[in-house]
């Protein structure tokens, strides 16, 4: 093989040496096949929309977290050995603390730029998980999780969940009073698991709480185990984005069979590459002015001390809300204790997240739709899905409020009991109200779309007719707008059909099929979508006499 | 890099509206279907596409941002070298901040942001913004490919004789299923067995109650009505290695109530002249309880707001805790100090499966 290469090189030699860049590319191509790779990808088209940047924010904040995290490991000592503080921060001088806390103090007060990197790291984590949340909602509400992207939806969901736990193990590392309280909460939650809880807790903490092991163990989990898995998932997520090609919003010339946009090289290299620097720059500026996790104000952890207003990072607020709102149910039987007041929230924590993760599979089962979807749905055109997503977001927000019930109570001068009861009732009521309201709004928007297509857009010009009547002049939409408003596919509800076929043989529908039919009626039946305007309706109105 | 005026002129001509009128090729007969896809709209040239002066302005703007980034990086290095980490300055509206953190953060932020802003401005104003379609291809394989793959798989499977030689198959599954057990067994030494360790604390009969703040034994007259006192067993040294493990269970909360205010008879019996000692560790998930309301004798856990009534046996009156706070039986020894009459009679802290 090498001889063949030599032969071709020799053959091209008389034309003079190729430029250095090309020779380097030739070298790489002979070993890595870069030309074939670049042929498919260098001018790959990406569609443009502001909401497609949300995923990029996640990617970039993840990269920032990795870079700043590596720097922090150079100075952080993941040890719970006790030392006496003798650094420059006067209020803590002479206080006993773990080496973990002491080295975090060192990073914050003595390593030049250490505080900045710590704050960039923590702010990026907050942005990362918030970004994933919003990105996930964008994908959900536009139906971008549909075939062929269900697997990538699951990858993204796993990244979101792992991100939460990576964040939790990360902010627990400094072994300060606030995070130690969070770790204690986690230990109590593990203890509530029936049968194995006590053993799990003893194995995780190397004995009784707090023990001397959890910082070192969380450190391995935080810097190696979880980020390793996440890096793998992230690469897989991006490969699938490339492989599937990005979804696009409907519009003239944009179909299920193409992707319209601008090429990776040069436009997206510049835009996406530039956006990395924008995100990094903004987070660096935030870290310059906004303090985050000031552990010197909390002090080192002691299991018999606590501060008021203890709050986890925002992404754990939902778990916190569950645990705070739950009534203290506890059952004793046969010498055992089932602490439902903690165990139910622990289970619900998984359930709340799983409900969202599983929706794409529920939807595809109900619709029975086997085709690929590359055009993003306008949320209004899928009222049931949109209402479900909005209800889920409302549910999540109720729990976030529940996680900060003490903050809400002190800020708004309310009774903590009243706030907690509000959360308990809202947990069941608010999602239902949100579902109903969102669905109605979607239907209203569908009606407005239909009206616009058939009657045109309101121009704001008022005309007085000869007999004195005032009418508003409507201008017809242009072709592109009409296409955009009518291009979507409307699913028909799945009918069970006749119980008895034409030969008189009974066809019995199983309970699963019946459920599917019921759900389908609910999602695509008469009350759940407005039939989109047809060409006949349009022709009748535009050619008729009543046109104004 | 960005200064090729010639190429801009080429691009601008190419982007003129008249040149792109063929973009309507996707359009179909409009008369038949009013909602038909009209195809991609023609490209609208930007100012920079047709006016070289505007393009030059963009070029200068991009170059300015890149230059500003370089200056900011130099500023970062200067700040790192010149400003001591301990310097605190007052900056409106941020208040008293670390001068080093503030200057490093802003210079790094500007250095990074300007690279990004320059690149994005370059892409938006000078690089071609002609939208073009690219075809998608179905992801599912063609039927021939699928048949080929399935045939290959069947051939490979039959060549392995996997299905025919059941003994090999079954023993292999057995081996693969068992070998992870080695890894599971290895986890055993992560921690000791719980045993009864969660049932006991450091408290023993005759131990004096030591004030956590003063490190002195408490006498009844040290505990006034309306105050909340924290105590620990004697001989505890917060320098000792297992201090945290011991205090995590033994932390004590002492209050004095008027004897007639105590509603629970056992509580009164287990105290001394209205002085009662309860576990400080919340029975919900183990936070230390620290908020005491003098009038009602309620204590509130600041973590999840479980509220306990210390005048009624530590009963839960609100919040997620599942059972009352354990009480420690106390008395006064012959020297006049408060002492424990034994360990807690039930496990302190959060519930667990074996608690019963």
């Amino acid at each position: 093989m090498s001889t063949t290469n030599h032969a071709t090189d020799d053959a091209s030699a008389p034309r003079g040496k190729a430029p250095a860049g090309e020779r380097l590319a030739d070298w790489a191509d002979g070993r890595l096949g870069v030309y074939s790779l670049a042929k498919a990808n260098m001018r790959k088209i990406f569609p443009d929309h502001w909401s497609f940047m949300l995923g990029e924010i996640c990617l970039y904040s993840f990269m920032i977290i990795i870079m700043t995290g590596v720097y922090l490991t150079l100075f952080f000592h993941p040890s719970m050995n006790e030392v006496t503080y003798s650094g420059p921060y006067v209020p803590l001088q002479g206080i006993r603390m773990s080496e973990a806390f002491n080295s975090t103090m060192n990073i914050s007060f003595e390593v030049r730029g250490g505080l900045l990197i710590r704050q960039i790291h923590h702010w990026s984590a907050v942005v990362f998980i918030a970004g994933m949340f919003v990105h996930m909602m964008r994908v959900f509400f536009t139906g971008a999780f549909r075939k062929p992207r269900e697997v990538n939806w699951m990858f993204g969901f796993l990244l979101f969940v792992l991100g939460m736990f990576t964040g939790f193990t990360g902010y627990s590392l400094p072994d300060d009073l606030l995070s130690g309280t969070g770790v204690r909460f986690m230990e109590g939650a593990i203890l509530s698991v029936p049968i194995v809880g006590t053993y799990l807790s003893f194995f995780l903490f190397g004995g009784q709480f707090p023990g001397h092991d959890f910082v070192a163990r969380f450190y391995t989990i935080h810097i190696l185990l979880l980020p390793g898995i996440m890096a793998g998932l992230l690469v897989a997520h991006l490969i699938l984005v490339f492989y599937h090609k990005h979804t696009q919003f409907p519009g003239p010339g944009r179909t299920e069979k193409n992707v319209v946009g601008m090429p990776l090289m040069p436009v997206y290299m510049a835009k996406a590459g530039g956006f990395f620097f924008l995100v990094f720059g903004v987070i660096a500026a935030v870290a310059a002015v906004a303090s985050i996790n000031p552990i010197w104000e909390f002090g080192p952890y002691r299991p018999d001390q606590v501060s008021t207003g203890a709050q986890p990072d925002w992404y754990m607020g939902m778990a916190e809300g569950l645990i705070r709102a739950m009534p203290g149910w506890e059952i004793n039987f046969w010498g055992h204790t089932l602490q439902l007041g903690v165990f139910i929230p622990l289970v619900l924590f998984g359930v709340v997240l799983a409900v969202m993760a599983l929706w794409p599979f529920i939807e595809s089962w109900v619709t029975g739709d086997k085709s690929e979807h590359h055009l993003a749905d306008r949320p209004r055109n899928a009222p049931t899905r949109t209402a479900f997503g909005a209800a889920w977001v409302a549910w999540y927000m109720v729990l976030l409020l529940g996680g900060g019930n003490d903050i809400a109570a002190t800020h708004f001068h309310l009774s903590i009991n009243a706030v907690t009861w509000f959360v308990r009732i809202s947990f069941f009521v608010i999602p239902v109200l949100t579902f109903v309201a969102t669905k109605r709004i979607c239907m209203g928007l569908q009606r407005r779309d239909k009206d616009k297509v058939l009657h045109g857009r309101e121009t704001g010009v008022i005309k007085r007719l000869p007999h004195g009547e005032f009418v508003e002049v409507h201008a017809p939409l242009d072709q592109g707008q009409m296409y955009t408003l009518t291009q979507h596919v409307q699913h028909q509800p799945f009918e069970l059909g006749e119980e008895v076929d034409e030969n008189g043989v009974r066809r019995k529908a199983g309970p699963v099929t019946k459920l599917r039919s019921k759900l389908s009626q609910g999602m695509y039946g008469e009350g759940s979508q407005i039939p989109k305007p047809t060409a006949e309706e349009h022709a009748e109105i535009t050619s008729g006499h009543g046109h104004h | 890099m960005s200064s090729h005026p010639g190429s801009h002129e080429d691009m601008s001509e190419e982007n003129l509206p008249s040149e792109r009128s063929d973009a309507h090729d996707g359009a179909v007969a409009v008369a038949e279907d009013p909602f038909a896809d009209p195809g991609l709209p023609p490209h609208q040239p930007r100012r920079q596409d047709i006016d070289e002066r505007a393009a030059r302005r963009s070029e200068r703007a991009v170059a300015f941002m890149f230059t500003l980034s370089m200056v900011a990086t130099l500023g970062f290095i200067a700040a790192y070298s010149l400003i001591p980490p301990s310097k605190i300055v007052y900056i409106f509206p941020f208040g008293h901040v670390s001068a080093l953190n503030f200057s490093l953060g802003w210079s790094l932020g500007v250095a990074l942001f300007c690279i990004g802003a320059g690149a994005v401005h370059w892409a938006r104003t000078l690089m071609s913004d002609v939208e073009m379609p690219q075809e998608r291809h179905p992801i599912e394989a063609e039927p021939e490919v699928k048949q080929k793959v399935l045939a290959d798989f069947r051939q490979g499977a039959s060549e392995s004789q996997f299905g025919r030689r059941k003994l090999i198959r079954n023993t292999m599954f057995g081996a693969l299923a068992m070998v992870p057990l080695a890894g599971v067994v290895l986890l055993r030494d992560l921690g000791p067995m719980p045993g009864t360790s969660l049932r006991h604390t450091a408290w023993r009969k005759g131990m004096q109650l030591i004030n956590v703040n003063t490190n002195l034994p408490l006498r009844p007259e040290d505990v006034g009505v309306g105050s909340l006192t924290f105590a620990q067993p004697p001989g505890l040294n917060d320098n000792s290695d297992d201090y945290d493990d011991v205090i995590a269970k033994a932390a004590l909360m002492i209050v004095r109530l008027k004897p007639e205010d105590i509603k629970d008879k056992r509580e009164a019996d287990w105290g001394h002249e209205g002085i009662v000692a309860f576990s400080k560790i919340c029975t919900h998930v183990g936070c230390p309880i620290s908020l005491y309301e003098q009038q009602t004798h309620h204590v509130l856990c600041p973590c999840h707001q479980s509220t306990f009534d210390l005048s009624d046996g530590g009963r839960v009156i609100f919040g997620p805790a599942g059972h009352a706070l354990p009480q420690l039986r106390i008395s006064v020894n012959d020297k006049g100090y408060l002492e424990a009459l034994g360990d807690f009679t039930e496990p302190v802290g959060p519930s667990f499966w074996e608690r019963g």
Side-chain angles (χ1 to χ4, degrees):
Chain A
M1 202 162 149
S2 58
T3 40
T4 337
N5 275 347
H6 267 297
T8 34
D9 283 352
D10 292 343
S12 59
R15 288 192 288 118
K17 273 202 150 178
E22 190 183 320
R23 276 184 287 136
L24 185 68
D26 286 345
W27 188 91
D29 187 50
R31 284 142 192 94
L32 306 168
V34 289
Y35 285 142
S36 319
L37 205 67
K39 177 174 170 266
N41 291 313
M42 198 191 277
R43 293 285 282 178
K44 194 178 183 69
I45 296 295
F46 280 88
D48 212 359
H49 190 267
W50 65 266
S51 69
F52 301 164
M53 296 196 309
L54 296 168
E56 282 183 60
I57 293 178
C58 307
L59 171 67
Y60 301 147
S61 49
F62 184 78
M63 288 160 63
I64 297 167
I65 292 170
I66 297 286
M67 286 190 286
T68 50
V70 168
Y71 181 84
L72 292 173
T73 63
L74 304 178
F75 300 95
F76 179 70
H77 301 173
S79 156
M80 293 177 84
N81 289 340
E82 297 276 315
V83 293
T84 304
Y85 183 69
S86 57
Y89 186 68
V90 178
L92 290 182
Q93 280 168 1
I95 303 271
R96 297 283 292 181
M97 55 180 64
S98 63
E99 263 191 69
F101 190 93
N102 190 42
S103 59
T104 313
M105 290 297 289
N106 176 48
I107 291 171
S108 309
F109 287 95
E110 289 161 83
V111 176
R112 281 181 286 177
L115 178 62
L116 181 72
I117 300 298
R118 243 197 86 212
Q119 300 203 131
I120 292 178
H121 189 72
H122 204 136
W123 275 118
S124 308
V126 169
V127 169
F128 177 48
I129 302 176
M132 286 197 285
F133 187 89
V134 182
H135 173 57
M136 199 163 116
M137 290 304 104
R138 197 284 294 173
V139 169
F140 183 85
F141 285 114
T142 59
F145 54 75
R146 290 172 295 173
K147 190 185 173 187
R149 296 182 177 78
E150 301 99 321
V151 177
N152 224 14
W153 166 263
M154 286 310 290
F155 284 173
F157 172 75
L158 285 175
L159 280 165
F160 178 65
V161 175
L162 292 178
M164 290 165 67
F165 285 103
T166 314
F168 178 81
T169 49
Y171 71 65
S172 298
L173 289 179
D175 199 22
D176 56 287
L177 191 56
L178 178 63
S179 74
T181 305
V183 176
R184 175 89 228 215
F185 159 32
M186 183 191 152
E187 195 251 359
I190 294 175
L191 280 181
S192 77
V193 176
I195 305 172
V196 294
T198 317
Y199 295 89
L200 286 181
S201 168
F202 271 64
F203 287 180
L204 180 62
F205 289 90
Q208 297 189 51
F209 180 85
H212 295 93
D213 293 326
F214 86 78
V215 167
R217 289 179 182 180
F218 278 27
Y219 184 66
T220 306
I221 294 170
H222 176 72
I223 70 157
L224 182 68
L225 183 64
L226 294 179
I229 299 171
M230 289 176 78
L233 282 170
L234 191 119
V235 170
H237 196 77
L238 289 179
I239 288 176
L240 281 179
V241 169
F242 256 71
Y243 180 62
H244 292 143
K245 298 195 170 92
H246 209 287
T247 51
Q248 59 187 349
F249 278 99
R254 290 151 206 265
T255 69
E256 293 282 11
K257 300 247 179 284
N258 71 6
V259 50
V260 176
M262 282 175 267
L264 177 66
M265 164 128 183
V267 177
Y268 272 87
M269 279 186 181
K271 276 192 179 176
F275 193 46
F276 165 76
F277 289 99
L278 291 179
V279 171
F280 202 167
V282 168
I283 292 178
V286 169
V289 298
S291 153
I292 188 163
N293 200 20
I295 55 150
W296 52 92
E297 285 177 13
F298 312 140
Y301 181 60
R302 265 181 60 155
D304 64 332
Q305 291 179 352
V306 70
S307 54
T308 54
Q311 284 288 319
D313 265 14
W314 81 268
Y315 43 87
M316 282 286 158
M318 162 249 196
E320 184 82 1
L322 282 166
I323 198 102
R324 288 186 183 197
M326 181 73 198
W329 297 344
E330 193 168 297
I331 304 175
N332 285 292
F333 59 100
W334 300 320
H336 289 295
T337 300
L338 191 54
Q339 197 187 11
L340 292 173
V342 181
F343 186 60
I344 288 178
L346 192 65
V347 172
L348 277 177
F349 174 70
V351 169
V352 170
L353 294 173
V355 159
M356 201 53 181
L358 294 178
W359 172 270
F361 303 95
I362 297 169
E363 185 181 311
S364 74
W365 173 65
V366 171
T367 57
D369 187 356
K370 299 271 187 289
S371 51
E372 286 184 16
H373 293 276
H374 301 292
L375 281 180
D377 265 335
R378 301 171 75 224
R380 68 186 60 173
N381 289 335
T384 311
R385 178 206 297 150
T386 304
F388 176 86
W392 186 84
V393 172
W395 212 25
Y396 193 98
M397 293 304 158
V398 164
L399 291 174
L400 268 190
L401 169 69
N405 60 355
D406 52 338
I407 308 284
T410 49
H411 270 65
F412 300 108
H413 304 287
L414 297 165
S415 145
I416 183 86
N417 305 24
V419 176
T420 306
W421 269 108
F422 173 78
V423 172
R424 284 175 181 172
I425 295 166
S426 302
F427 180 81
F428 297 100
V429 174
I430 295 267
V432 176
L433 293 181
T434 312
F435 184 92
V436 173
T438 310
K439 197 160 168 180
R440 291 193 76 96
I441 292 171
C442 287
M443 302 283 280
L445 289 171
Q446 280 193 24
R447 279 196 194 90
R448 196 180 72 162
D449 280 354
K450 182 170 185 170
D451 219 48
K452 259 162 85 174
V453 168
L454 293 180
H455 301 283
R457 139 189 94 77
E458 293 171 2
T459 56
V461 177
I462 307 291
K463 196 162 81 175
R464 189 176 178 191
L465 299 182
H467 56 276
E469 184 192 350
F470 287 95
V471 293
E472 184 176 5
V473 179
H474 285 230
L477 300 184
D478 70 36
Q479 178 91 16
Q481 287 168 315
M482 287 217 274
Y483 170 70
T484 308
L485 295 183
T486 55
Q487 49 72 39
H488 58 286
V489 178
Q490 289 192 317
H491 282 288
Q492 291 313 307
F494 165 69
E495 303 281 353
L496 275 181
E498 296 289 314
E499 284 267 316
V500 181
D501 71 9
E502 62 267 28
N503 298 326
V505 182
R506 278 181 65 82
R507 264 184 334 125
K508 199 137 167 59
V512 177
T513 319
K514 280 189 177 148
L515 175 68
R516 186 182 150 201
S517 167
K518 273 249 162 59
L519 285 173
S520 184
Q521 289 291 342
M523 278 164 73
Y524 307 108
E526 240 167 74
S528 301
Q529 57 187 1
I530 307 296
K532 60 183 188 181
T534 60
E536 291 78 51
E537 283 176 297
H538 185 260
E540 192 177 325
I541 287 172
T542 45
S543 64
H545 303 291
H547 183 231
H548 46 240
Chain B
M1 229 156 66
S2 57
S3 59
H4 293 290
S7 67
H8 287 310
E9 274 152 24
D10 291 346
M11 197 189 295
S12 55
E13 270 172 38
E14 177 185 298
N15 288 346
L16 284 175
S18 57
E19 298 279 325
R20 289 275 300 171
S21 55
D22 60 338
H24 260 295
D25 56 0
V28 281
V30 174
E32 287 167 22
D33 180 3
F35 308 143
D37 180 3
L40 274 183
H43 175 245
Q44 300 291 328
R46 295 162 299 190
R47 178 134 192 210
Q48 287 84 353
D49 294 331
I50 43 182
D51 179 357
E52 178 55 23
R53 272 178 313 173
R56 287 238 164 86
R57 269 200 302 279
S58 289
E59 183 188 344
R60 282 196 298 272
V62 172
F64 171 75
M65 284 185 265
F66 287 162
T67 313
L68 193 58
S69 168
M70 291 189 256
V71 173
T73 302
L74 292 176
F76 182 91
I77 296 169
Y80 186 91
S81 328
L82 299 175
I83 303 176
S86 57
K87 191 168 173 64
I88 304 290
V89 289
Y90 180 82
I91 296 171
F92 181 81
F94 308 111
H96 291 278
V97 294
S98 153
L100 182 63
N101 187 64
F102 191 83
S103 46
L104 287 182
W106 272 111
S107 53
L108 181 64
V110 169
L112 292 163
F113 190 90
C114 284
I115 295 179
V120 171
H121 193 61
W122 178 13
R124 289 175 62 91
T125 58
L126 295 174
M127 291 181 190
S128 163
D129 72 335
V130 180
E131 285 200 310
M132 49 186 103
Q134 197 168 54
E135 264 186 60
R136 290 181 192 271
H137 306 286
I139 288 166
E140 278 164 358
E142 299 289 321
E144 306 87 70
V145 176
K146 182 181 159 187
Q147 290 312 323
K148 167 90 170 73
V149 170
L150 290 181
D152 284 356
F153 177 79
R154 270 185 233 107
Q155 190 183 351
S158 84
E159 283 173 8
S160 75
Q161 309 193 8
F162 185 76
R164 200 152 70 81
R165 306 210 181 269
K166 297 249 160 42
L167 189 61
I168 290 183
R169 189 191 67 181
N170 295 345
T171 49
M172 185 185 81
F173 283 157
L176 289 176
M178 279 187 69
V179 76
L181 288 178
V184 174
V185 168
L186 281 173
L187 297 178
R188 167 61 191 88
D189 274 351
L190 276 174
M193 283 294 169
T196 57
S197 53
L198 289 181
R199 303 194 158 271
H200 309 298
T201 71
W203 289 105
R204 297 285 175 275
K205 185 170 166 48
M207 277 186 175
Q208 291 181 338
L209 276 50
I210 309 294
N211 186 327
V212 169
N213 294 324
T214 62
N215 223 5
L216 293 171
L218 279 162
R219 287 171 305 175
E221 50 270 37
D222 298 335
V223 185
V225 173
S227 70
L228 182 67
T229 311
F230 299 130
Q232 62 186 25
L236 260 192
N237 179 355
D238 68 359
N239 289 350
S240 73
D241 249 7
D242 59 349
Y243 177 80
D244 279 353
D245 291 2
V246 173
I247 199 71
K249 289 190 300 183
L252 212 56
M253 173 166 69
I254 298 164
V255 290
R256 184 195 277 270
L257 288 73
K258 291 189 194 118
E260 63 271 21
D261 283 350
I262 300 179
K263 297 169 203 147
D264 183 78
K265 186 176 176 308
R266 196 190 77 163
E267 179 184 347
D269 293 346
W270 282 23
H272 173 78
E273 293 169 358
I275 299 176
V276 287
F278 283 92
S279 166
K280 192 187 175 185
I281 309 300
C282 183
T283 60
H284 177 223
V285 287
C287 279
I289 298 165
S290 56
L291 300 173
Y292 177 52
E293 203 174 50
Q294 300 172 357
Q295 303 300 317
T296 56
H297 308 300
H298 293 169
V299 283
L300 181 105
C301 175
C303 289
H304 307 106
Q305 291 80 43
S306 294
T307 312
F308 303 87
D309 187 352
L310 291 195
S311 67
D312 192 9
R315 188 170 60 89
V316 184
I317 52 169
F318 187 76
H323 61 267
L325 282 175
Q327 189 183 354
L328 188 73
R329 212 171 153 185
I330 57 167
S331 178
V332 172
N333 63 15
D334 40 13
K335 290 180 210 137
Y337 292 108
L338 290 172
E339 64 166 8
L341 290 179
D343 195 0
F344 289 97
T345 55
E346 56 178 317
V348 301
S351 290
F352 49 97
W353 177 249
E354 296 83 357
R355 187 176 188 275

